[in-house]
Amino acid sequence: MVPTHPDVAALTERVQALMLEHKVPGVALGLIVDGEAHTAAFGVTNAEHPLPVTEDTLFQIGSITKTYTALALMRLVERSELDLDTPIRLHLPEFRLVDEEVAARVTLRHLLTHTGSWPGDFFEKQGDGDDALARYVARMADLEQTLPLGEVYSYNNAGFALAGRLLEVRTGQSVEAAIRDLVLQPLGLQASFFFPNEVMTRRFAVGHFELERGAEPVVARDWYVGRYAAAMGGLVTSVTDQLRYARFWLNGGVSETGERLLSPATIAQMREPYLPASPVASIGLAWHVRDVDGVQLMSHGGGTNGQIAQLTLAPEHGVAVSVLTNALNGSELVTALLGEVLERLLGVKVPAPEPLTLSPEDLEPYAGRYRGRPNGEIFEFRPANGGLILEFSPGDYSAFADRPAPPPVPPRQVALTSERTFVITEGEGKGAQGEFLRDASGAVRWVRAGRVLERIDPA
């Protein structure tokens, strides 16, 4: 489609420049502006077997799937078949964690707000049968608490797998069938799928990564995320279907055919900030929400093995942007493009964080190693150049065939922007922000970059 809206035309040109800059093989862009949908597609689906990306090409959207899972669950809440604040043991009496007291108190609200606070990046395939998710949830019995239940946001994939299992039990269907019946079909999302045999007969994108910074993209394998991950990140869709889904949220819970799936009160509840999730955003029910110069945004990103996606909405302004890429470094393209979308279409500019230059003595409280669980990834910070050098070790992914260890990441320069927050100023992920969290004594105990990692020793 050739864009006629001048701002949309400028943004599509910008995508092409960013693709070349970041060596992203393929991108699909979707925008809703002034009530009109615009799509554009660039590049190829696969560096080894290239086909042109089109508006109908299917991409993995990863964790954007969590908003579909939440929508399905909130439809059951509105029907009084579920409750946000009732312990899920009412429906899943077999659910176990290492901490029995926590397992007995976990609610759907904890799951949808990422406040379960057990290790969330627990990835373990359990086969392709209809019992895969039940088997996965049973394995959660080995997960220990990282933080107290309900008090701190820490991104939690395992929590959404558990939410998917709750959906299965309450509907008597597989999670894929439940999301299809409660979300995909009512919204007319005919190009949205979970299973490889549904995708492989259509044009679809494969993931890519760089073996080293600046190298040509290499195809990432495995492609399929596995049935255990359906509710947390298994959906495959087109940019056209993403815009149809976005329009539902812009319309306040009403599909394009006029069917109301959620009440205005529930939509408002899902957009309401619940807890801080980062230096710039809070978590609602599944959605990340933030205010940029008076403009309310709701968004979610997604990443699989070599694919990065982003969906951002400004409901009060009728604006939506969907970006689908087939490269890990598509995250850098997405970050750059979203800033320009907000400025061109909404007239707001995301304020750049202001780095502080501090002495080694001022930086010493933050220096040290921080470990994630259950895979043991390490963030190590050490003072340098008036800020901190961040070195990342990926941990052990050997047990998870669908989640190979990422390629090595060179050390990155980090600057504090307050006594709590920091920004990456040089290197991979430049512009990304995180924060240090303190314990009751005031000592720096954790670092949060989406997930919370616990300090294990000083540098």
Side-chain angles (χ1 to χ4, degrees):
M1 177 182 293
V2 178
T4 56
H5 190 291
D7 287 326
V8 174
L11 289 167
T12 57
E13 290 181 10
R14 182 63 176 138
V15 170
Q16 296 175 80
L18 289 168
M19 283 179 64
L20 292 173
E21 179 182 348
H22 297 291
K23 294 191 175 181
V24 176
V27 176
L29 171 68
L31 295 160
I32 297 177
V33 187
D34 297 334
E36 296 293 325
H38 307 265
T39 60
F42 314 93
V44 297
T45 59
N46 183 329
E48 293 181 3
H49 304 284
L51 291 172
V53 174
T54 73
E55 65 181 13
D56 297 316
T57 297
L58 302 177
F59 287 77
Q60 293 178 340
I61 61 168
S63 288
I64 299 174
T65 307
K66 292 179 172 68
T67 67
Y68 293 71
T69 301
L71 170 53
L73 287 160
M74 292 306 291
R75 294 199 70 192
L76 299 188
V77 170
E78 285 202 337
R79 297 175 184 176
S80 299
E81 296 177 32
L82 285 173
D83 182 84
L84 282 171
D85 298 308
T86 297
I88 63 170
R89 278 258 183 98
L90 176 66
H91 309 290
L92 299 175
E94 72 279 9
F95 175 61
R96 296 289 183 273
L97 294 165
V98 168
D99 190 321
E100 169 60 20
E101 188 267 340
V102 169
R105 292 196 296 120
V106 172
T107 67
L108 179 56
R109 189 184 300 275
H110 293 132
L111 305 182
L112 298 186
T113 57
H114 298 273
T115 55
S117 293
W118 52 76
D121 287 342
F122 172 55
F123 304 119
E124 187 174 278
K125 284 189 173 181
Q126 296 294 333
D128 294 330
D130 286 349
D131 64 344
L133 194 47
R135 291 163 60 91
Y136 173 91
V137 168
R139 290 283 291 114
M140 289 178 64
D142 294 334
L143 298 182
E144 300 178 350
Q145 289 303 110
T146 303
L147 292 160
L149 176 68
E151 295 185 11
V152 178
Y153 168 95
S154 181
Y155 195 80
N156 200 310
N157 280 295
F160 267 80
L162 181 57
R165 178 60 182 154
L166 182 61
L167 185 58
E168 288 189 330
V169 169
R170 292 305 297 148
T171 62
Q173 299 175 287
S174 69
V175 67
E176 299 94 345
I179 293 174
R180 180 196 64 213
D181 289 352
L182 289 165
V183 178
L184 304 183
Q185 288 186 346
L187 293 183
L189 305 182
Q190 298 180 5
S192 299
F193 310 99
F194 282 101
F195 297 107
N197 64 325
E198 297 173 312
V199 174
M200 65 187 295
T201 57
R202 298 165 172 87
R203 185 169 301 199
F204 66 96
V206 304
H208 299 80
F209 64 92
E210 298 172 318
L211 288 173
E212 59 183 42
R213 188 75 173 174
E216 292 301 314
V218 175
V219 170
R221 296 176 172 89
D222 287 343
W223 180 89
Y224 182 41
V225 299
R227 291 200 70 177
Y228 80 98
M232 66 169 86
L235 199 60
V236 185
T237 189
S238 69
V239 72
T240 303
D241 260 19
Q242 276 279 270
L243 291 189
R244 188 170 288 114
Y245 180 65
R247 199 180 289 280
F248 162 79
W249 294 99
L250 297 183
N251 290 346
V254 177
S255 72
E256 288 187 338
T257 62
E259 181 182 0
R260 175 166 290 284
L261 301 189
L262 286 183
S263 69
T266 296
I267 293 287
Q269 184 180 24
M270 295 184 74
R271 291 174 51 190
E272 183 178 349
Y274 184 69
L275 278 176
S278 75
V280 297
S282 297
I283 188 66
L285 294 178
W287 289 95
H288 294 91
V289 294
R290 65 182 295 192
D291 181 297
V292 180
D293 198 20
V295 173
Q296 302 295 319
L297 302 176
M298 54 191 293
S299 65
H300 212 294
T304 59
N305 188 20
Q307 300 196 49
I308 297 293
Q310 180 72 31
L311 179 63
T312 297
L313 315 171
E316 294 166 352
H317 298 265
V319 169
V321 55
S322 168
V323 189
L324 309 179
T325 78
N326 60 351
L328 276 180
N329 49 320
S331 59
E332 298 172 2
L333 181 154
V334 166
T335 299
L337 183 64
L338 283 177
E340 298 192 27
V341 168
L342 294 177
E343 192 166 357
R344 280 190 172 273
L345 301 183
L346 295 167
V348 298
K349 190 167 185 176
V350 178
E354 297 185 9
L356 303 174
T357 300
L358 301 174
S359 69
E361 292 75 20
D362 291 331
L363 294 164
E364 196 60 35
Y366 307 93
R369 297 196 304 157
Y370 300 76
R371 180 175 60 201
R373 292 189 286 170
N375 307 319
E377 61 268 29
I378 298 289
F379 281 18
E380 182 170 358
F381 294 90
R382 52 185 174 81
N385 309 317
L388 297 163
I389 295 292
L390 167 59
E391 295 197 31
F392 172 71
S393 300
D396 181 15
Y397 282 76
S398 60
F400 316 124
D402 63 317
R403 292 298 296 256
V409 178
R412 289 166 281 181
Q413 184 69 47
V414 170
L416 289 178
T417 53
S418 74
E419 66 174 12
R420 174 187 175 105
T421 58
F422 65 85
V423 62
I424 297 174
T425 57
E426 296 294 339
E428 185 170 317
K430 181 178 179 180
Q433 299 183 61
E435 55 200 322
F436 293 98
L437 306 179
R438 298 174 182 268
D439 61 20
S441 72
V444 175
R445 173 96 179 266
W446 302 275
V447 64
R448 178 164 62 190
R451 289 85 168 152
V452 171
L453 291 80
E454 186 170 13
R455 189 171 188 161
I456 54 176
D457 60 41

